[in-house]
């Protein structure tokens, strides 16, 4: 069994005001300003902050509040499911990146800054929008080695850690109203990851799509031994093609980061 409570976000108006003027703030000042002042995150609450995908948003959110200290294996890839990621981690990423599984679309540029083309993995279902400049073996081997380093880093840093992971579940087809029926499923996946990675505790912030008119100034916390699941609804109005994914959806994840870190810090101080 698990405990459940709903926690209301604080300082919502401050984050709304900040987002209206964020573009005028020098980029170098934003991470610490957002962490310390705007969202009030306590970085010392956890040993480890990491993205599980399903796209680039979680890694971007933790980077924008100065919590991303290294690259992880799921930071900049997209598609597939949380279950697929758990299965890959349990298999030590067996066959996660084989050249023969990749489909290249050299004409479709998915990241102009890195001159990257569209690449899809037909074995895993992953998409690589930021990595591959061409379909050469040299380019493939460079990125395969890079992902191997990131995978090794995940296993190494997770051991005995109190970790907080983020996952955006916007593409699953489920709405916030569906997730109360899926808690046990997520706890099962989280425990599988905790055991495989050798972690002391495993916390997960799950960003989920909600009805467009929902008042989402809260996060649901489900808690059991060694596991905490934070479900953050994001109104679908912020997830359509006309909305910048890294803008308002990121704000909701950062608010959830505040709740998670303050909650963990409070528990640690009471121990």
């Amino acid at each position: 069994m698990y405990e459940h409570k709903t926690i209301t976000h604080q300082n919502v108006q401050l984050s709304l005001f900040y987002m209206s003027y964020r573009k005028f703030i020098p980029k170098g000042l934003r991470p610490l300003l957002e962490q310390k002042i705007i969202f009030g995150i306590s970085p010392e609450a956890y040993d480890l902050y990491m993205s599980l995908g399903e796209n680039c948003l979680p890694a971007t959110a933790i980077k924008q509040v100065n919590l991303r200290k290294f690259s992880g294996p799921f930071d900049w890839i997209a598609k597939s499911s949380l279950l697929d990621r758990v299965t890959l981690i349990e298999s030590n990423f067996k066959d996660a990146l084989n050249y023969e599984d990749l489909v290249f679309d050299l004409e479709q540029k998915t990241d102009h800054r890195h001159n990257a083309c569209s690449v899809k993995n037909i074995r895993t279902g992953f998409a690589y929008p930021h990595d591959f400049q061409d379909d050469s073996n040299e380019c493939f081997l460079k990125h395969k080695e890079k992902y191997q380093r990131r995978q090794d880093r995940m296993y190494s840093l997770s051991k005995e850690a109190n970790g907080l992971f983020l996952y955006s579940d916007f593409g699953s087809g489920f709405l916030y109203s569906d997730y109360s029926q899926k808690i046990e499923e997520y706890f099962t996946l989280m425990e599988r990851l905790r055991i495989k990675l050798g972690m002391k505790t495993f916390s997960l912030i799950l960003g989920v799509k909600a009805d467009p008119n929902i008042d989402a100034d809260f996060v649901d916390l489900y808690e059991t031994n060694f596991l905490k699941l934070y479900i953050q609804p994001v109104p679908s109005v912020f997830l359509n093609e006309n909305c910048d994914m890294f803008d308002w959806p990121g704000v909701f994840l950062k608010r959830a980061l505040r709740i998670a870190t303050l909650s963990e810090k409070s528990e640690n101080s009471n121990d």
Side-chain angles (χ1 to χ4, degrees):
M1 291 298 294
Y2 52 79
E3 297 181 7
H4 169 238
K5 59 183 175 181
T6 298
I7 306 173
T8 303
H9 291 306
Q10 304 297 318
N11 299 327
V12 169
Q13 292 303 316
L14 177 61
S15 64
L16 293 176
F17 177 82
Y18 169 76
M19 289 304 295
S20 298
Y21 294 94
R22 184 175 185 268
K23 63 183 178 181
F24 300 111
I25 307 296
K27 289 185 177 181
L29 297 179
R30 293 176 191 173
L32 281 176
L33 177 63
E34 292 192 22
Q35 181 193 103
K36 300 295 185 182
I37 306 299
I38 306 304
F39 296 100
I41 294 166
S42 297
E44 70 279 6
Y46 289 93
D47 307 319
L48 176 68
Y49 297 89
M50 189 174 290
S51 167
L52 288 172
E54 171 266 345
N55 53 29
C56 314
L57 175 61
T60 300
I62 59 177
K63 179 180 180 180
Q64 289 178 343
V65 291
N66 205 40
L67 294 178
R68 185 175 179 268
K69 306 302 183 182
F70 53 85
S71 298
F74 300 109
D75 286 2
W76 309 127
I77 63 176
K79 308 299 182 182
S80 201
S81 68
L82 182 59
L83 173 60
D84 292 330
R85 285 162 167 76
V86 173
T87 302
L88 265 183
I89 293 170
E90 289 179 326
S91 73
N92 298 315
F93 289 88
K94 178 178 173 58
D95 291 322
L97 187 56
N98 299 326
Y99 184 84
E100 60 270 21
D101 295 328
L102 302 181
V103 176
F104 295 83
D105 185 346
L106 301 181
E107 299 301 318
Q108 182 181 356
K109 296 299 182 180
T110 51
D111 184 341
H112 291 282
R113 188 177 67 167
H114 296 98
N115 193 33
C117 61
S118 173
V119 178
K120 296 181 180 179
N121 190 321
I122 59 175
R123 178 189 292 270
T124 64
F126 289 136
Y128 297 83
H130 304 291
D131 293 306
F132 295 91
Q133 289 71 44
D134 54 56
D135 59 357
S136 68
N137 190 60
E138 179 183 7
C139 183
F140 167 74
L141 291 176
K142 178 181 73 173
H143 291 298
K144 186 174 179 66
E145 291 172 0
K146 176 184 70 178
Y147 276 99
Q148 183 65 58
R149 292 194 300 271
R150 294 180 179 184
Q151 292 157 15
D152 293 342
R153 186 180 297 134
M154 168 184 271
Y155 291 119
S156 175
L157 296 178
S158 296
K159 290 180 180 178
E160 295 299 313
N162 297 317
L164 177 60
F165 288 64
L166 281 75
Y167 183 75
S168 58
D169 203 26
F170 304 136
S172 68
F174 293 103
L175 289 175
Y176 165 72
S177 55
D178 300 318
Y179 282 89
S180 63
Q181 307 301 318
K182 295 167 64 67
I183 302 305
E184 294 293 348
E185 174 185 334
Y186 279 100
F187 273 142
T188 298
L189 294 177
M190 291 165 62
E191 180 65 3
R192 285 168 59 180
L193 279 178
R194 189 186 73 82
I195 291 173
K196 172 61 182 180
L197 295 173
M199 301 177 68
K200 290 181 180 177
T201 65
F202 187 100
S203 297
L204 176 67
I205 293 176
L206 186 67
V208 305
K209 183 186 293 187
D211 291 327
N213 298 320
I214 189 174
D215 182 356
D217 291 338
F218 67 91
V219 63
D220 282 315
L221 168 58
Y222 297 86
E223 184 175 2
T224 187
N225 291 338
F226 311 113
L227 304 174
K228 290 182 180 178
L229 174 61
Y230 295 87
I231 296 185
Q232 177 60 62
V234 178
S236 58
V237 67
F238 297 118
L239 298 171
N240 61 50
E241 60 183 12
N242 296 320
C243 184
D244 187 343
M245 180 192 301
F246 306 111
D247 197 347
W248 290 110
V251 169
F252 286 98
L253 292 186
K254 294 170 193 176
R255 291 173 183 166
L257 278 165
R258 176 184 185 274
I259 294 294
T261 58
L262 290 181
S263 174
E264 192 69 15
K265 182 179 179 181
S266 175
E267 285 194 13
N268 292 340
S269 64
N270 291 332
D271 287 344

